[in-house]
Amino acid sequence: MSAPTIADALGRGRNGFTGLRLALALAVVVSHAFSVTTGAAGDEPLARLTGYTLGEHAVNGFFAVSGFLVTMSCDRRGILDYALARTLRILPGLVAATLVVSLGLGAAMTRLPVSEYLREPGLWSFISGTLTTFKSNAALPGVFEANPYRAPLGTVWTLKYEVLCYLGVLVAALCGFLRRRWSALVIVAGLALALTIVGGLRGSDLPKGTETALRLPLIFAAGACLYLWRERLRISGAALACLAFAAFVLARTPAYPALLFLAEAYGVVWLALGPLGRGLFDPPADLSYGIYLYGWPIQQSLHALWPQMSGPALLAPALAVTLPVAALSWYGIERPALALKARALGRRRLGTIEPAGP
């Protein structure tokens, strides 16, 4: 019996995208447990094995899922619906997290008197910088000064790439490229080739920022391509095994990163829509965005309070605090914001999965 197409798998209704995003968000928190106390991401075992941390692999998964679902959203709903959905899915949660961390957590953790802290220009530049440029390396006055990383919102930098990818989908829709599937293949091939060439020329000297600027759009575009070619492409374990084997064989060549990222993009869609995905835990609340936003500042706070403890030792209490905070974010901010979109467009309920940015 041949493997079902992606379109057939989508038509079955049940999938594992929400549960998968939850697992990816938790993987980011687990990954940071190895670096938040030392400042060295290379301390994580997976970084030595694959060249990328567990957190980077999780972000890759987020971008692949986002590329798939966001392109589906734009294709099915139209441009106005799409633009409103993207704004309401990302912005309210980010604004709330920025204010909670800067005005709440920062005021509680700073070494400065609260009145002085609130008058510091650095506080207000942190808020404006986070909300306008997604700066994740900015520090708050007197906060986390003894930590290896001072940034209290160290994960929001990926939202810059997420928003740029959203705009790319919008432009593609306006230009009619979502109806021209070959354009998606050209973009994926071009980004993969650029990453391979630049990696081959620079080798280990390739700046991380340059690689990231190619890596994340490539994975997002691969997810979008999987959706646009859903009638032809299949949910095949054999195809995933071939991609993984190719990445393994070429692990010491410039082609390795691109092959790895394409395998991961296909892999997360295979997980969500294949037999495993239909059996995945399907939580009623999408806590992934809240976990992604609040996991880092909570881990930073725990390390500041108990600096003698290792990050892995603080992982359990970090998760114990992060999960309820993420639930508050979902039920108090994110879900009500999505309901605003439904009311604004004259519908009673939301009909398509709403992916949050990593």
Side-chain angles (χ1 to χ4, degrees):
M1 183 176 179
S2 62
T5 64
I6 293 175
D8 289 338
L10 277 173
R12 293 172 180 171
R14 182 177 174 83
N15 60 66
F17 280 116
T18 302
L20 181 59
R21 287 202 302 268
L22 175 62
L24 293 172
L26 291 173
V28 171
V29 178
V30 171
S31 178
H32 289 157
F34 290 90
S35 59
V36 71
T37 57
T38 65
D43 289 346
E44 185 195 312
L46 199 58
R48 295 190 290 271
L49 180 64
T50 67
Y52 299 91
T53 67
L54 175 63
E56 288 174 315
H57 288 298
V59 169
N60 291 349
F62 266 124
F63 269 76
V65 169
S66 185
F68 186 94
L69 295 179
V70 165
T71 304
M72 179 173 69
S73 173
C74 188
D75 181 50
R76 292 183 175 182
R77 295 178 168 188
I79 292 172
L80 176 60
D81 191 319
Y82 169 81
L84 189 57
R86 295 302 90 229
T87 302
L88 291 176
R89 189 64 186 100
I90 291 293
L91 191 58
L94 175 63
V95 171
T98 302
L99 295 179
V100 167
V101 169
S102 59
L103 300 179
L105 181 65
M109 298 295 296
T110 183
R111 61 170 176 78
L112 304 175
V114 174
S115 58
E116 182 180 340
Y117 173 77
L118 294 175
R119 290 195 301 268
E120 278 285 333
L123 167 63
W124 305 104
S125 63
F126 171 87
I127 294 173
S128 62
T130 302
L131 295 179
T132 57
T133 63
F134 307 109
K135 291 180 66 175
S136 61
N137 60 350
L140 286 169
V143 178
F144 303 145
E145 290 180 326
N147 286 13
Y149 296 109
R150 287 199 58 196
L153 278 172
T155 58
V156 299
W157 64 271
T158 61
L159 296 180
K160 172 178 64 178
Y161 293 98
E162 185 83 3
V163 170
L164 289 174
C165 289
Y166 290 171
L167 292 175
V169 172
L170 181 62
V171 170
L174 290 170
C175 296
F177 291 151
L178 296 187
R179 304 299 178 189
R180 302 169 187 169
R181 295 177 299 176
W182 286 103
S183 61
L185 288 178
V186 170
I187 292 172
V188 170
L191 288 170
L193 183 61
L195 181 61
T196 301
I197 292 174
V198 172
L201 293 175
R202 299 294 299 269
S204 59
D205 294 329
L206 179 64
K208 195 68 174 178
T210 301
E211 184 196 60
T212 300
L214 292 170
R215 169 172 66 99
L216 298 183
L218 167 61
I219 297 169
F220 186 97
C225 193
L226 288 170
Y227 170 75
L228 293 174
W229 285 84
R230 63 194 179 279
E231 302 287 349
R232 299 285 187 88
L233 298 177
R234 297 185 178 273
I235 301 296
S236 169
L240 177 59
C242 289
L243 283 170
F245 182 72
F248 174 77
V249 170
L250 299 175
R252 298 186 181 276
T253 73
Y256 167 70
L259 285 171
L260 175 66
F261 303 151
L262 292 175
E264 289 181 327
Y266 184 82
V268 294
V269 174
W270 177 84
L271 275 174
L273 294 177
L276 289 177
R278 294 195 298 276
L280 278 176
F281 170 61
D282 187 18
D286 186 359
L287 305 185
S288 57
Y289 191 34
I291 292 171
Y292 189 80
L293 288 174
Y294 290 101
W296 176 267
I298 288 170
Q299 287 177 296
Q300 284 277 73
S301 301
L302 291 175
H303 177 59
L305 293 171
W306 292 283
Q308 73 281 2
M309 295 184 67
S310 68
L314 291 172
L315 179 58
L319 291 173
V321 177
T322 301
L323 287 170
V325 172
L328 288 173
S329 176
W330 170 253
Y331 287 108
I333 304 294
E334 299 167 51
R335 191 171 72 165
L338 293 175
L340 288 176
K341 182 185 81 71
R343 288 199 295 269
L345 295 174
R347 291 198 300 269
R348 292 185 177 182
R349 57 182 298 178
L350 301 172
T352 304
I353 299 168
E354 290 290 350

